[in-house]
Amino acid sequence: MAEKKEKIIGIDLGTTNSCVAVMVGGEPVVIQNSEGGRTTPSVVSFMKDGSRVVGQVAKRQAVTNPEHTVFSIKRFMGRRADEVEQEKKMVPYPIVAGSKGEAVVKIDDKTFTPPEISAMILQKMKQSAEDYLGEKVNKAVITVPAYFNDSQRQATKDAGTIAGLDVLRIINEPTAASLAYGLDKKKNEKIAVFDFGGGTFDISILELGEGIFEVKSTNGDTHLGGDDFDIKIMNWIADEFKKEQGIDLKNDRMALQRLKEAAEKAKCELSTVTETEINLPFITADATGPKHLILKLSRSKLEQLTEDLIARAFNPCQQALKDAGLSISQIDEVVLVGGMTRMPKIQETAKKLFGKEPHKGVNPDEVVAVGAAIQGGVLAGEVKDLVLLDVTPLTLGIETLGGVMTQIIERNTTIPTSRSQIFSTAADGQTSVEIHVLQGERPMANDNRTLGKFHLVGIPPAPRGIPQVEVIFDIDANGIIHVRALDKGTNNEQKITITASSGLNKDEVEKMKKEAQVHEAEDKKKKEEIELRNQADNMAYTAEKTVKEAGDKVDAGTKEKVQKAIEETRKELQGQDGAKLKAAFENLQKEVYAMSEMIYKQAPPPNQASPNSGQEQGQGQEQGPNPNDGKTVDADFEEKK
Amino acid sequence: MSWDKKNKKASEEQGNPEAEILKGVILEKEKQIDEDKQKLLRTLADLDNYKKRMAQEREEIVKLSNETLILAMLPVLDGMERAFKATKNNKENEEIIKGLALIKKQFEDALMKFGVQTVDATGKPYDPHFMEAIMQQESDGPEHIVLEETQKGYLLYNKLIRPAMVIVSKKKGEK
């Protein structure tokens, strides 16, 4: 990659929370703040000692310092003092008119403009990004609501400048969210962005044409958000407790604090489960002793409690559609933003209002910042700079004992790459193995595609499982596959080269993947059967050898029992009845264990050739654990003598 | 080398066009090799850095997963704290209460082993970096002092995982 590009961060400067993200290696990353939070409360506080705190810490001390703790500053950005009479009443800090009639915050005898306060939040976001990236950050993309007017946008830009950031772009929050979901790659679509956050609800209708997003209409409710839901739950808990115990928890600040936490927790939990328990032991006490609170809250009850809040989203959505001059059927995409859209009922509502399955991410409260970071990445030219590495579309492997395909290189492995595995022979004295190179996802060799075949000859005669044949697969950057088989004993080698995936096109690859899914269950069964056959065959072979070599370490009775079990297993191996074979095999296993134990007591353990090894026409795996042998070590003790 | 020299000389003298072309080709290839080598080195460095970052992230994930688990366990400890507060003057079942106190201690010791510490708050000046103020109370003493902890705060390897919930003093008559 070329010389280092300067990073451009993306900031979602929110009413209640802010979030920062940046592109790293072509992927957007949400950056944690110094307290470990992925979002930062948009709160600034001026402390008595003259210092200033921002974020979670400022929020924590709000009750001790209400007149010096500034939150929801976004509501005053770029507004005149006479425009914000309503908003003014809702905050505990004083708002006055500045020299040009603009709304400013009064802290003791000083005044701060909203851009100055916002700059303090932006500075913290910038600092977090610098700590994460380990370099100075000078450039940013900042988001604003689609309904922000020029003066509000200018104020946001000013805030960036004060914070020492060169604001390259101010983009609309719904546009950023659409970018985060990759909708800019589509053509001529109409997108509804449904943003239900902590303190505000916004609906925006966008039209996308030639990669440019145009805002068709916006609507919303500036005082509707997740906090309202928490309050509903809190009130319900307190009312229920009063009904049961006759004590009003609303007068008890300490209990109220716990109720608030419990309400928020219950709300979050009910997004994934349908019922939760609110369990607050020792919530309060009266003359009769301590009182506990234990309540069950179901998802449907929560939905009933908050029905009126959710209903407040209806009108703005319908109005936005009307203003855009569109009907429900003309909306192509619905995008969900904001923490509250995790609630199933709200997802359902959005779906109903716009008639489309909405796009929803894992972290709806981060999508705006992610979109801003993507925009930053495009501006920095980082997105173009990626080197695309290819992957193998299908799994490659070879055929082993019983017609099973043993995987060597799994699909989706990034190339160039090289893998190898060691195999062995299936029969005593076998001098050649066939390497049957396969491509596909099915467990059985026959169901996959043959890429090529070759033989490795001249293996010195040896008992099965002893020769070591290394099979090496190598795919170069052009997708050409080289397969080599190497006899480790003689260094004899054979190889084959298969060019460019043998012309499988995309459709064929998809077809093969689908087939693998369709046949998954039956294939698994077939494979298990063959594995059982292999294990049984191996066990019979090993048992026979052990009996032969055991001499007088094992008494005749035991030997006879084992011999009988071997014959039984061999008989079933000829037949097709899986269940009978399994029974015979398990019996043989039992007898062999009994015999092994007898030998163990007197001498070093006998060889148990690995059960996976060997194949009629070729080779079997030699490495790997020995599933039907818990006790004996896989030592070639007797052969090596 | 000698062949090279001779060849070069010959080509210069005679202005052998084929040799000139080959020279150009070689220079071109050398440049290509150099570029590829740089690219390879960069890629290797990228991979190395990626591995380091992954190792670091894995370490953080282990720590974080502990944090999530510990945070989920803390309410159990809170409950026990509250239970003991409520049994303070209870003289019945004294031995059972003592036993339960020992169980609580076991739990605390186990948490401590994994790097958990409590935030020391009561009687200390209020510090929002470690404490969340839930209310203020008038007091004769100095202001901005923690009068009471309603819920303990915890650190994990010196990083705050849950602030202490506290009541903070204020001067009498202050609103």
Side-chain angles (χ1 to χ4, degrees):
Chain A
M1 314 215 172
E3 77 253 44
K4 208 153 165 58
K5 297 250 166 68
E6 196 179 348
K7 292 279 183 194
I8 301 175
I9 56 174
I11 302 176
D12 170 11
L13 183 60
T15 308
T16 39
N17 287 298
S18 295
C19 184
V20 59
V22 70
M23 296 294 278
V24 177
E27 293 284 328
V29 175
V30 173
I31 301 170
Q32 292 192 348
N33 61 29
S34 52
E35 290 94 38
R38 291 169 71 88
T39 58
T40 301
S42 304
V43 183
V44 175
S45 184
F46 300 86
M47 310 288 277
K48 293 214 169 98
D49 61 7
S51 67
R52 211 166 64 196
V53 288
V54 181
Q56 196 64 50
V57 177
K59 199 177 166 188
R60 263 181 220 145
Q61 54 79 62
V63 299
T64 68
N65 196 15
E67 286 172 23
H68 300 103
T69 302
V70 184
F71 57 89
S72 292
I73 192 66
K74 194 174 174 181
R75 299 185 192 277
F76 302 103
M77 288 288 271
R79 310 284 296 272
R80 288 197 317 274
D82 54 18
E83 285 177 326
V84 291
E85 285 306 320
Q86 274 305 108
E87 302 284 357
K88 238 168 91 173
K89 288 179 198 143
M90 302 179 78
V91 296
Y93 51 88
I95 293 283
V96 297
S99 54
K100 292 180 209 106
E102 78 276 24
V104 296
V105 181
K106 191 164 187 295
I107 301 290
D108 297 329
D109 48 2
K110 270 198 226 158
T111 57
F112 294 90
T113 62
E116 282 176 303
I117 302 281
S118 292
M120 296 167 194
I121 301 165
L122 290 174
Q123 251 161 9
K124 183 171 170 77
M125 309 312 284
K126 177 175 179 253
Q127 187 62 49
S128 300
E130 286 176 352
D131 291 346
Y132 176 82
L133 294 168
E135 62 188 52
K136 271 259 168 230
V137 171
N138 300 309
K139 291 176 176 164
V141 170
I142 304 179
T143 62
V144 294
Y147 58 77
F148 257 29
N149 62 28
D150 279 346
S151 115
Q152 289 169 306
R153 283 167 202 262
Q154 187 56 48
T156 306
K157 206 166 181 184
D158 292 345
T161 310
I162 299 166
L165 285 168
D166 180 7
V167 182
L168 298 182
R169 288 278 158 84
I170 293 280
I171 64 171
N172 288 322
E173 287 160 13
T175 302
S178 303
L179 281 174
Y181 285 109
L183 297 183
D184 54 317
K185 288 170 194 81
K186 305 216 171 177
K187 282 198 178 83
N188 304 325
E189 286 204 319
K190 296 177 184 69
I191 307 164
V193 182
F194 190 96
D195 181 348
F196 213 133
T200 58
F201 167 66
D202 294 317
I203 177 75
S204 316
I205 310 283
L206 307 180
E207 185 169 355
L208 171 67
E210 307 294 318
I212 295 164
F213 291 91
E214 188 195 341
V215 180
K216 301 295 282 183
S217 69
T218 66
N219 212 301
D221 187 329
T222 49
H223 291 101
L224 173 64
D227 301 343
D228 299 306
F229 286 71
D230 295 348
I231 292 166
K232 287 267 182 192
I233 303 170
M234 254 172 89
N235 287 340
W236 175 77
I237 302 173
D239 292 345
E240 289 293 308
F241 189 75
K242 197 173 176 191
K243 257 191 261 169
E244 237 173 72
Q245 305 278 355
I247 301 173
D248 192 356
L249 294 175
K250 286 182 194 159
N251 300 325
D252 181 343
R253 283 293 286 269
M254 279 179 242
L256 220 50
Q257 179 66 31
R258 289 177 70 194
L259 284 196
K260 199 173 142 201
E261 273 171 36
E264 208 186 320
K265 189 165 154 256
K267 181 183 78 177
C268 293
E269 281 176 359
L270 287 175
S271 289
T272 47
V273 298
T274 52
E275 189 176 77
T276 184
E277 195 174 68
I278 297 156
N279 177 347
L280 296 170
F282 299 96
I283 187 74
T284 188
D286 66 7
T288 63
K291 293 275 175 272
H292 315 295
L293 188 156
I294 180 145
L295 276 173
K296 280 206 161 68
L297 180 59
S298 66
R299 189 186 283 173
S300 58
K301 181 72 196 169
L302 170 70
E303 286 166 5
Q304 279 170 38
L305 289 173
T306 56
E307 212 174 4
D308 58 326
L309 294 177
I310 294 171
R312 277 164 66 187
F314 295 173
N315 271 339
C317 288
Q318 278 150 4
Q319 192 58 46
L321 270 178
K322 210 174 133 199
D323 292 348
L326 296 172
S327 64
I328 290 181
S329 59
Q330 285 173 288
I331 296 292
D332 300 298
E333 314 270 354
V334 181
V335 170
L336 297 183
V337 184
M340 275 317 293
T341 61
R342 287 196 181 93
M343 187 172 168
K345 185 73 189 175
I346 289 184
Q347 294 176 0
E348 206 181 286
T349 305
K351 192 181 162 187
K352 211 167 69 193
L353 286 169
F354 295 103
K356 281 269 150 22
E357 191 60 49
H359 291 266
K360 45 188 188 236
V362 193
N363 292 311
D365 21 28
E366 294 170 1
V367 292
V368 171
V370 164
I374 292 172
Q375 178 71 62
V378 171
L379 292 174
E382 183 164 348
V383 177
K384 269 184 266 158
D385 214 24
L386 287 175
V387 177
L388 274 175
L389 286 171
D390 224 344
V391 297
T392 73
L394 289 164
T395 301
L396 297 168
I398 60 169
E399 180 176 343
T400 52
L401 184 59
V404 172
M405 171 170 166
T406 295
Q407 303 189 342
I408 309 270
I409 298 182
E410 284 161 34
R411 77 184 176 91
N412 263 341
T413 302
T414 306
I415 58 173
T417 189
S418 177
R419 301 270 168 89
S420 80
Q421 205 167 323
I422 292 173
F423 294 88
S424 191
T425 50
D428 291 340
Q430 186 179 334
T431 56
S432 88
V433 293
E434 187 196 58
I435 310 289
H436 181 188
V437 182
L438 296 161
Q439 181 181 44
E441 305 310 311
R442 306 275 298 270
M444 303 307 299
N446 280 343
D447 298 324
N448 291 312
R449 187 191 169 93
T450 297
L451 292 182
K453 275 183 193 176
F454 65 96
H455 285 86
L456 178 65
V457 295
I459 300 168
R464 76 193 226 177
I466 296 305
Q468 292 199 345
V469 177
E470 185 175 16
V471 177
I472 303 131
F473 273 60
D474 184 278
I475 311 181
D476 66 19
N478 301 317
I480 297 168
I481 306 160
H482 308 268
V483 181
R484 283 192 298 145
L486 173 75
D487 176 7
K488 302 274 264 190
T490 61
N491 274 337
N492 251 340
E493 191 186 277
Q494 272 302 326
K495 62 186 166 197
I496 190 173
T497 297
I498 299 150
T499 40
S501 300
S502 301
L504 273 182
N505 65 32
K506 217 179 144 198
D507 293 343
E508 284 174 290
V509 169
E510 278 311 311
K511 199 177 133 228
M512 286 177 85
K513 278 195 232 166
K514 274 215 186 86
E515 267 176 16
Q517 276 169 6
V518 171
H519 297 286
E520 204 180 335
E522 71 178 81
D523 280 352
K524 202 177 152 213
K525 204 173 144 230
K526 222 193 274 176
K527 194 179 177 189
E528 275 167 6
E529 264 173 43
I530 288 187
E531 271 170 5
L532 175 69
R533 294 187 89 82
N534 289 351
Q535 283 179 4
D537 179 50
N538 243 301
M539 184 58 99
Y541 172 83
T542 314
E544 197 168 43
K545 204 167 65 168
T546 315
V547 168
K548 232 181 268 166
E549 288 159 357
D552 53 5
K553 284 173 201 154
V554 177
D555 63 78
T558 310
K559 276 188 186 170
E560 201 179 308
K561 264 199 231 162
V562 172
Q563 202 57 51
K564 225 182 113 208
I566 293 171
E567 276 157 27
E568 192 65 28
T569 307
R570 292 242 160 99
K571 204 184 99 203
E572 292 305 338
L573 273 169
Q574 304 295 319
Q576 291 302 322
D577 192 330
K580 272 193 187 161
L581 174 63
K582 195 161 186 233
F585 167 60
E586 279 167 0
N587 181 45
L588 172 63
Q589 210 172 7
K590 203 183 81 201
E591 297 300 346
V592 170
Y593 284 172
M595 176 172 70
S596 302
E597 216 170 303
M598 203 173 283
I599 298 167
Y600 239 129
K601 280 180 191 154
Q602 307 164 41
N607 175 55
Q608 283 256 3
S610 51
N612 291 343
S613 70
Q615 171 183 355
E616 244 49 87
Q617 334 88 308
Q619 63 291 317
Q621 260 175 295
E622 202 225 49
Q623 290 179 324
N626 195 333
N628 53 5
D629 185 353
K631 292 171 202 153
T632 40
V633 185
D634 208 357
D636 296 334
F637 176 69
E638 310 214 5
E639 269 83 6
K640 284 211 171 146
K641 231 174 358 183
Chain B
M1 199 52 193
S2 65
W3 181 85
D4 219 39
K5 258 186 195 159
K6 240 200 284 172
N7 205 39
K8 201 172 163 192
K9 218 174 158 192
S11 71
E12 269 167 12
E13 276 167 6
Q14 296 164 13
N16 186 340
E18 207 171 310
E20 281 303 317
I21 293 167
L22 286 175
K23 222 164 89 185
V25 168
I26 289 169
L27 279 175
E28 186 64 32
K29 291 281 172 205
E30 268 177 0
K31 212 177 120 201
Q32 185 71 42
I33 290 168
D34 198 50
E35 270 173 25
D36 286 351
K37 203 171 145 195
Q38 289 303 320
K39 244 187 233 169
L40 174 67
L41 284 175
R42 277 190 184 280
T43 312
L44 287 175
D46 276 349
L47 178 68
D48 197 47
N49 288 330
Y50 177 76
K51 278 186 192 158
K52 280 182 209 157
R53 203 168 70 215
M54 277 300 135
Q56 203 183 336
E57 274 177 19
R58 207 163 26 237
E59 214 169 277
E60 274 165 25
I61 285 166
V62 171
K63 262 194 177 175
L64 185 80
S65 61
N66 267 347
E67 182 181 329
T68 329
L69 177 68
I70 288 165
L71 274 174
M73 307 293 278
L74 291 179
V76 181
L77 202 52
D78 298 334
M80 287 197 260
E81 301 271 359
R82 294 197 174 93
F84 282 110
K85 245 187 210 168
T87 54
K88 227 179 197 170
N89 301 313
N90 194 330
K91 288 280 171 268
E92 290 170 64
N93 303 322
E94 208 174 332
E95 284 305 307
I96 290 180
I97 292 171
K98 213 192 266 172
L100 289 173
L102 288 174
I103 294 172
K104 178 173 160 253
K105 178 143 190 312
Q106 276 181 331
F107 190 54
E108 286 167 338
D109 288 348
L111 287 178
M112 212 152 63
K113 227 190 242 169
F114 288 90
V116 178
Q117 286 167 283
T118 53
V119 172
D120 203 5
T122 310
K124 296 267 157 55
Y126 170 65
D127 179 355
H129 289 96
F130 299 99
M131 309 163 196
E132 179 155 344
I134 63 160
M135 61 189 285
Q136 281 188 297
Q137 235 167 43
E138 290 185 347
S139 153
D140 293 328
E143 62 171 347
H144 251 66
I145 296 292
V146 174
L147 296 174
E148 192 187 334
E149 263 177 89
T150 62
Q151 194 170 288
K152 275 199 174 144
Y154 292 93
L155 306 161
L156 178 63
Y157 296 111
N158 296 323
K159 181 197 152 207
L160 185 80
I161 55 170
R162 198 183 78 177
M165 298 288 168
V166 298
I167 299 172
V168 183
S169 67
K170 66 172 175 187
K171 270 192 207 130
K172 277 193 174 160
E174 197 183 293
K175 65 164 182 170

